[in-house]
Amino acid sequence: MGTAVFFGDELARYGFGGSHPFGTDRIYAFWSRLQAEKISNIVVEQPEIATEEAVLSFHDRDYVELVKMASKRCESVPLDRGDTPSFRGIFEATLYVVGSTLAALHMVMKGADRIGRKVENAFVPIAGLHHARRDSAGGFCVFNDVGVAVIQARKKYGIKRIAYVDIDAHHGDGVFYEFVGDPLLFFADIHEDGRYLYPGTGSADETGLGEAAGTKMNIPLLPEAGDKEFFDVFSKVETFIDSSKPELIFLNCGADSLAGDPITDLRYSAQAHAHAAKALRRIAEKHCAGRLIAVGGGGYNRTNIGSAWTEVVRVLAA
């Protein structure tokens, strides 16, 4: 069985100009490192574009229309409080992010890619836009591709129990709060404490609402926490996700939790990402026929992007 890895210039379109940390070069930093490692059992997939209908299964129509309008204008229109500017073509660029995550979903559910090559799991580097809410952008994220994919997994494939694990340095608030009352979305997020880092959310006492109480796990770490702290708390995540008996697993493997990122303060090595991917792959093989989709998330040190994401792919393809 192979690992589908999505790569193409269409995914590079999602990025912001000037000195913005989320630049269009991020995917190439990953791809250069991956090519140098010569990992086998990878099938390279072209990005796919999502339909507007799919995006509307998660996002509000008024917000989608705002993004479309901003995408057509020459001047930049802030889509949130200023971190996420628009640019000409941002609507289509974001549709490629969502579409590639949905294509990964289709492949892992089918067990094969579009030309019949066997696929067990997948990695989409420019994806995991976990700050986008149904009605707004946030933290460099325009459309929430995983949010759309969760809805589509249930609508198209009848999947009920879905696990989402996030090891990006920032709390995945756009996933957490939009599914905070969903008892079949099992959420686990290890992140830098919100007292020190955007978006300021994800305290340990936020465990789900109503009938979803206990289906969410937030683990904030203090700035400068490293591999030891990560390994210590990830054992709790592993137990939590295993006990949820998921039918599908998403992993947001943001590389901004590695030492040396310019906008965060955690100090992991790439072995943290390898550790998480290995544990979740075991759980996926145990409960859901290996169905695991990893998305790149954040990361603004290009060397770290290459090393962390390549380690994830190495584990998934082993």
Side-chain angles (χ1 to χ4, degrees):
M1 298 290 277
T3 295
V5 177
F6 285 75
F7 175 76
D9 293 340
E10 296 89 347
L11 281 175
R13 294 181 193 176
Y14 190 88
F16 307 92
S19 59
H20 197 288
F22 202 122
T24 57
D25 62 318
R26 296 171 72 249
I27 191 171
Y28 301 113
F30 157 67
W31 189 248
S32 176
R33 176 63 179 268
L34 184 68
Q35 292 294 94
E37 295 294 319
K38 296 180 172 59
I39 299 170
S40 58
N41 297 328
I42 292 173
V43 292
V44 180
E45 303 292 344
Q46 291 296 310
E48 293 192 21
I49 193 164
T51 65
E52 188 173 332
E53 178 185 11
V55 172
L56 287 168
S57 68
F58 179 85
H59 287 285
D60 293 348
R61 183 174 294 277
D62 286 349
Y63 172 58
V64 173
E65 291 299 325
L66 170 66
V67 177
K68 287 172 69 176
M69 177 275 294
S71 185
K72 294 175 182 177
R73 293 174 60 168
C74 293
E75 70 272 18
S76 176
V77 177
L79 297 174
D80 55 7
R81 296 176 182 174
D83 287 337
T84 315
S86 67
F87 55 85
R88 182 179 288 277
I90 193 171
F91 179 67
E92 292 77 14
T94 313
L95 288 184
Y96 271 110
V97 175
V98 177
S100 296
T101 299
L102 291 179
L105 171 64
H106 179 71
M107 289 175 192
V108 301
M109 293 305 304
K110 183 182 176 184
D113 71 356
R114 61 177 70 87
I115 61 173
R117 294 177 293 187
K118 291 184 177 180
V119 167
E120 181 179 41
N121 50 48
F123 178 70
V124 189
I126 308 302
L129 304 182
H130 61 171
H131 298 306
R133 303 290 187 94
R134 293 180 190 269
D135 61 354
S136 63
F140 317 158
C141 304
V142 177
F143 293 151
N144 193 320
D145 55 293
V146 171
V148 174
V150 168
I151 299 295
Q152 293 297 311
R154 290 170 169 170
K155 182 178 179 180
K156 293 185 68 174
Y157 305 103
I159 294 293
K160 303 297 183 185
R161 304 175 70 84
I162 298 174
Y164 173 82
V165 178
D166 194 324
I167 61 172
D168 188 289
H170 302 87
H171 180 238
D173 57 321
V175 178
F176 179 77
Y177 292 109
E178 299 300 349
F179 293 97
V180 69
D182 186 329
L184 296 179
L185 193 286
F186 300 89
F187 176 100
D189 193 313
I190 303 172
H191 51 275
E192 186 173 337
D193 195 310
R195 293 175 295 175
Y196 308 99
L197 189 69
Y198 177 93
T201 56
S203 64
D205 60 1
E206 294 184 276
T207 60
L209 296 178
E211 61 179 348
T215 65
K216 313 292 184 277
M217 174 181 282
N218 283 295
I219 303 178
L221 297 179
L222 292 175
E224 301 189 7
D227 284 0
K228 181 183 184 303
E229 291 83 359
F230 178 82
F231 294 150
D232 286 347
V233 298
F234 198 82
S235 62
K236 300 177 183 178
V237 171
E238 191 172 353
T239 300
F240 173 71
I241 297 300
D242 185 31
S243 66
S244 75
K245 297 181 172 60
E247 300 169 76
L248 173 68
I249 300 174
F250 289 94
L251 168 63
N252 186 315
C253 46
D256 51 7
S257 48
L258 268 65
D261 191 89
I263 66 173
T264 70
D265 305 292
L266 295 178
R267 296 289 182 266
Y268 305 167
S269 75
Q271 289 310 303
H273 288 60
H275 180 82
K278 189 175 296 184
L280 293 177
R281 183 180 177 186
R282 284 196 302 266
I283 294 171
E285 290 173 345
K286 178 180 178 181
H287 293 294
C288 49
R291 294 190 291 260
L292 171 60
I293 300 169
V295 289
Y300 310 102
N301 176 310
R302 275 42 178 178
T303 300
N304 287 351
I305 285 173
S307 59
W309 293 354
T310 296
E311 286 307 308
V312 170
V313 173
R314 189 193 311 279
V315 168
L316 296 185

